[in-house]
Amino acid sequence: MSQLYRYTLGTQTYHFKNLAQLMAKATPHRSGDCLAGVNAQSAQERAVAQMTLAEVPLKTFLNEALIPYEADEVTRLILDDHDTQAFAQISHLTVGDFRNWLLSDYATPEVLASVRAGITPEMAAAVSKIMRNQDLILVAKKSHVVSAFRNTIGLPGRLATRLQPNHPTDDINGIAASMLDGLLYGNGDAVIGINPATDNVPQAIKLMQLMDDVIQKYEIPTQSCVLTHVTNTIECIEAGAPVDLVFQSIGGTEATNSSFGFNLSTLAEAQEAALSLNRGTVGNNVMYFETGQGSSLSADAHHGLDQQTCEARAYAVARKFNPLLVNTVVGFIGPEYLFDGKEITRAGLEDHFCGKLLGVPMGCDVCYTNHAEADQNDMDNLLTLLGVAGCSFVMGIPGSDDIMLNYQTTSFHDALYVRRVLGSRPAPEFEHWLQKMNIMKDTQQTLLADGMPERFAQSLKHLGGQS
């Protein structure tokens, strides 16, 4: 049942009609909430909302659903799967107490892992709203989430990358050239993942076969994925295609996911189909999800919630299906939702924090569209902050410019930069392969070999018509 929230500051009393409004008003400024008309009208109102939110008991989020239980299957998932035993450790806390507890030395990686099943997305979103950027980084750094398929993602001190060889016409030679380029920079341990320019089942199978041929020929301990609709991937599996990971963009409300053309039962069917292939070698996490603040609002499926709370709810969907990778494509939707570099940076840190706190293997596409008030320096800043925070993976794209999707993201050499600056290393199985192939002569210092690896050189000779 909803209740009225109020806070008196001096002679003025502020009223918030329900928990959803309080959460929205407490959110750091972003253009999407202004577009939705749910934002605080002043910095003072935002500060008051944050102080009010800090006094809300965590138990309240179990009694006051932001979207009615009977109207939304994501709400039902969140409440039905809530682990009361895990929650017991923090059930006496308010949102403000929860922040202090997370920042304390008591909240070790082991303790955080033991309570994550008792934390709802709304609790995670609420506490993030009263945290500074450094708080988000510190807690995320302590939240270890490990997943595995053909290699192991998310180990402390490791930073993986998605090699993203997109091409505007799905040209096989262009895609292959980008794959080679990325591998030579040490990219591709998270996944080799293609956004198809032509999105249908035959084209998806063609691209899957290309990536599988490369992975098998060079014995690369990584996984491939064509980022096509989940129902297409199910058809690909039925057709005998070499499917490693199942992809789907997901949102935090049933209506958002319906607009994407799926529901939770669809994801369960896809997961079961992928598991039946038994293609993993060191693990069986077969799902790859992408999210982004603003997706529910853009689908008019946000139920009056702020976009960051909707985003956190998407992680409950992800958590249900034990994914290998979850990627917040933080600045992709555009400045209507995250206006500039400052808003993109804040959103990226929030998403990473909430995902890791909830037990999701969280990565980030550090990106922006060309009409946003942002540039590569903003992305360098966010990339570095996420590296410090223990982000599981980032993107690797030739020249940081995706010529198919027309947005700016991180390049192959950006991964080298952050690995060198922070001492991060690739996934262990992939690191061993880089050494064996003589792509890197020193993986601890991220030093590339001086010449072309012999096995790649031989392949290139054949492509050039030489014997």
Side-chain angles (χ1 to χ4, degrees):
M1 180 180 294
S2 297
Q3 64 181 58
L4 180 68
Y5 296 86
R6 59 172 59 90
Y7 192 95
T8 300
L9 182 65
T11 59
Q12 184 173 357
T13 300
Y14 290 80
H15 298 274
F16 306 95
K17 65 180 181 180
N18 53 35
L19 186 56
Q21 186 184 73
L22 177 61
M23 292 272 282
K25 299 285 189 180
T27 306
H29 182 274
R30 64 209 56 195
S31 55
D33 291 340
C34 296
L35 181 66
V38 300
N39 60 299
Q41 296 303 301
S42 66
Q44 180 168 303
E45 185 184 25
R46 181 176 301 108
V48 169
Q50 290 171 340
M51 290 187 288
T52 307
L53 182 60
E55 295 178 358
V56 174
L58 293 181
K59 290 179 179 178
T60 302
F61 293 94
L62 301 175
N63 300 319
E64 186 176 344
L66 302 187
I67 303 174
Y69 180 91
E70 62 277 5
D72 184 84
E73 69 171 355
V74 177
T75 297
R76 293 194 290 275
L77 169 67
I78 292 168
L79 295 178
D80 291 349
D81 281 12
H82 183 252
D83 187 327
T84 55
Q85 185 173 353
F87 180 62
Q89 300 180 65
I90 56 173
S91 62
H92 60 291
L93 300 177
T94 65
V95 173
D97 294 333
F98 187 35
R99 171 189 175 274
N100 295 338
W101 182 86
L102 289 170
L103 292 170
S104 73
D105 292 338
Y106 177 79
T108 63
E110 295 74 21
V111 171
L112 289 175
S114 72
V115 301
R116 62 177 50 141
I119 302 171
T120 69
E122 292 85 353
M123 295 175 194
V127 74
S128 76
K129 295 175 190 298
I130 63 170
M131 298 175 88
R132 292 170 56 186
N133 287 2
Q134 65 173 243
D135 300 339
L136 301 174
I137 292 169
L138 176 60
V139 177
K141 182 76 169 181
K142 297 192 291 184
S143 302
H144 303 160
V145 182
V146 179
S147 58
F149 188 74
R150 289 200 190 100
N151 57 33
T152 309
I153 305 297
L155 293 169
R158 305 280 178 169
L159 175 67
T161 62
R162 169 187 163 190
L163 202 172
Q164 188 170 316
N166 294 344
H167 193 279
T169 63
D170 285 341
D171 178 75
I172 295 300
N173 289 331
I175 291 172
S178 292
M179 289 172 61
L180 174 62
D181 191 21
L183 291 169
L184 290 174
Y185 276 99
N187 280 242
D189 42 350
V191 64
I192 302 175
I194 300 174
N195 298 87
T198 304
D199 194 5
N200 56 53
V201 172
Q203 184 67 10
I205 293 176
K206 181 180 178 181
L207 297 175
M208 289 171 185
Q209 191 63 61
L210 167 66
M211 290 185 288
D212 189 60
D213 288 347
V214 172
I215 289 172
Q216 298 302 326
K217 178 175 181 178
Y218 297 105
E219 303 173 308
I220 309 173
T222 191
Q223 36 283 329
S224 68
C225 184
V226 174
L227 281 70
T228 187
H229 193 270
V230 61
T231 55
N232 285 347
T233 305
I234 292 173
E235 290 189 45
C236 291
I237 293 173
E238 293 171 346
V243 173
D244 288 341
L245 304 184
V246 175
F247 169 80
Q248 184 55 48
S249 294
I250 60 174
T253 70
E254 180 180 348
T256 307
N257 294 330
S258 295
S259 75
F260 291 159
F262 76 94
N263 56 27
L264 298 182
S265 64
T266 315
L267 296 181
E269 178 187 356
Q271 182 188 35
E272 182 179 356
L275 286 171
S276 72
L277 300 180
N278 197 31
R279 291 174 59 83
T281 56
V282 297
N284 61 357
N285 300 113
V286 297
M287 307 299 282
Y288 174 21
F289 297 122
E290 287 192 344
T291 67
Q293 289 194 27
S295 59
S296 293
L297 176 57
S298 66
D300 194 24
H302 61 298
H303 295 268
L305 303 186
D306 66 272
Q307 64 185 33
Q308 191 251 337
T309 298
C310 285
E311 171 71 8
R313 285 169 54 93
Y315 306 150
V317 177
R319 181 167 63 174
K320 177 68 174 178
F321 297 99
N322 302 311
L324 178 74
L325 309 166
V326 177
N327 176 33
T328 172
V329 193
V330 66
F332 182 73
I333 302 181
E336 299 83 3
Y337 304 93
L338 296 170
F339 181 73
D340 56 17
K342 183 175 182 179
E343 292 187 8
I344 293 171
T345 297
R346 175 69 190 189
L349 295 177
E350 289 170 346
D351 295 351
H352 180 252
F353 161 84
C354 289
K356 295 288 279 294
L357 188 64
L358 293 166
V360 171
M362 205 72 197
C364 184
D365 190 342
V366 180
C367 64
Y368 64 100
T369 58
N370 288 319
H371 61 307
E373 292 295 322
D375 58 28
Q376 287 298 146
N377 285 327
D378 294 312
M379 300 304 102
D380 287 349
N381 294 343
L382 177 54
L383 173 64
T384 305
L385 293 173
L386 287 169
V388 173
C391 188
S392 294
F393 69 100
V394 295
M395 304 299 108
I397 296 177
S400 74
D401 182 8
D402 191 310
I403 58 174
M404 196 277 281
L405 293 175
N406 293 310
Y407 77 116
Q408 308 302 313
T409 180
T410 45
S411 68
F412 299 144
H413 66 268
D414 287 333
L416 285 180
Y417 148 74
V418 75
R419 282 172 173 167
R420 287 181 177 180
V421 167
L422 300 178
S424 303
R425 295 159 61 184
E429 300 87 350
F430 192 78
E431 179 183 57
H432 178 71
W433 179 81
L434 291 172
Q435 291 175 312
K436 184 179 72 171
M437 285 288 290
N438 197 32
I439 291 173
M440 284 190 179
K441 59 185 179 183
D442 187 336
T443 54
Q444 292 194 23
Q445 298 187 55
T446 323
L447 298 179
L448 299 175
D450 296 327
M452 176 73 69
E454 180 60 27
R455 290 187 65 185
F456 286 161
Q458 291 297 325
S459 298
L460 291 173
K461 285 181 181 179
H462 292 307
L463 285 176
Q466 303 176 34
S467 58

